[in-house]
Amino acid sequence: MTRALVVIDVQVDFCEGGALAVAGGNAVAERIAALLASDHGYDTVAATRDWHVEPGRHFSDAPDYVRTWPAHCVAGTPGAEYHPALRDALPGGPAAVVDEVFSKGQYDDGYSGFDGVDSRLRPLSAYLRGLDVGEVDVVGIATDHCVRATAKDAAGLGFRTRVLLDLAAGVAPATVTRALDELRDAGVELVG
């Protein structure tokens, strides 16, 4: 069995200065970029991105910040681009180590990376199973939303799953605490 790193939504809109900024997003992007530039030991690296086309009720002019949010990561906009620290590591970049990119949330909220598909419309689960991945480490933004949903789904699909907390940023302490409790209950290992 092989090991995978899944990098969740390290996009401009989720980092400081973005439409839905998470405190610490820029620092997490830099730390993930440093990991990717190192001899990280993963057999494959996948990245997800929010890529909203028409996500319905996910966007709101009066968001509640629980189920509805301001517009963010609209497909093709600068805010939907990956953080500059990661761009060289993406497929086609000069230091490419990310093997596949999975877009999620085109027509729904798309919290879990397992809702995403690559350019061949292959879901993340099929990609990982095709490489005989048994262990998944999850990093990125936000701990209490998309990182939580992805890690929980990974564990539910039978992958040995860890969240590397030093490489994740969350929205709010209370929701991060709830998310971590939920992940522990789902059998996800929390590291850092």
Side-chain angles (χ1 to χ4, degrees):
M1 284 215 217
T2 60
R3 292 178 63 223
L5 178 69
V6 180
V7 180
I8 306 298
D9 303 354
V10 183
Q11 294 167 266
V12 170
D13 271 349
F14 293 138
C15 295
E16 288 88 349
L20 195 53
V22 174
N26 288 329
V28 161
E30 295 288 342
R31 289 195 300 272
I32 292 171
L35 172 65
L36 294 175
S38 73
D39 183 16
H40 52 70
Y42 291 100
D43 298 294
T44 190
V45 178
T48 70
R49 64 181 180 178
D50 258 14
W51 196 248
H52 296 304
V53 174
E54 179 48 61
R57 294 176 292 196
H58 186 61
F59 287 175
S60 173
D61 291 332
D64 64 13
Y65 296 92
V66 176
R67 293 195 173 276
T68 60
W69 308 90
H72 61 277
C73 297
V74 174
T77 65
E81 296 298 321
Y82 283 98
H83 187 280
L86 295 182
R87 290 184 189 154
D88 286 351
L90 295 170
V97 293
V98 174
D99 299 300
E100 285 290 343
V101 171
F102 293 82
S103 301
K104 61 188 182 61
Q106 289 89 333
Y107 300 99
D108 58 20
D109 55 12
Y111 289 106
S112 175
F114 287 94
D115 296 335
V117 294
D118 66 11
S119 62
R120 293 177 278 176
L121 302 180
R122 177 177 47 173
L124 177 58
S125 59
Y127 171 76
L128 295 174
R129 293 205 191 286
L131 295 174
D132 197 29
V133 170
E135 299 179 12
V136 174
D137 285 353
V138 181
V139 300
I141 304 171
T143 309
D144 36 352
H145 296 284
C146 297
V147 169
R148 176 198 55 80
T150 302
K152 189 174 174 186
D153 283 353
L157 288 166
F159 297 103
R160 182 173 177 262
T161 306
R162 302 186 317 166
V163 172
L164 308 183
L165 297 174
D166 293 341
L167 299 175
V171 173
T175 54
V176 168
T177 298
R178 281 194 300 272
L180 297 181
D181 288 343
E182 189 177 325
L183 290 171
R184 280 187 204 94
D185 290 346
V188 174
E189 184 181 352
L190 304 176
V191 178

